[in-house]
Amino acid sequence: MRELIRPMVEGADADIVAAAIVRLAACHYVIRGEDRGSFLAQLRHVAGIPPAGLEIDS
């Protein structure tokens, strides 16, 4: 999964950010708890995307 995400991430820490995104997504899958909006906010934060910078259709 990291290899798929890595090309979408910029910066010197791109490998670390890609790994963190995969880890966060896997944890969210195993341990549900927060709503979809909160999960997307966490992904945006880890990826360095501004809060309003990513729109995903349901």
Side-chain angles (χ1 to χ4, degrees):
M1 287 178 67
R2 279 184 276 172
E3 290 80 20
L4 295 172
I5 293 171
R6 172 59 184 87
M8 295 182 260
V9 180
E10 298 177 355
D13 293 332
D15 291 326
I16 294 169
V17 172
I21 291 169
V22 170
R23 186 178 302 264
L24 179 64
C27 288
H28 177 73
Y29 179 78
V30 173
I31 304 169
R32 303 238 183 234
E34 299 190 29
D35 62 18
R36 181 174 181 266
S38 178
F39 173 63
L40 290 176
Q42 292 170 22
L43 281 176
R44 287 182 190 109
H45 179 75
V46 169
I49 298 171
L54 181 65
E55 295 295 328
I56 297 180
D57 295 330
S58 296

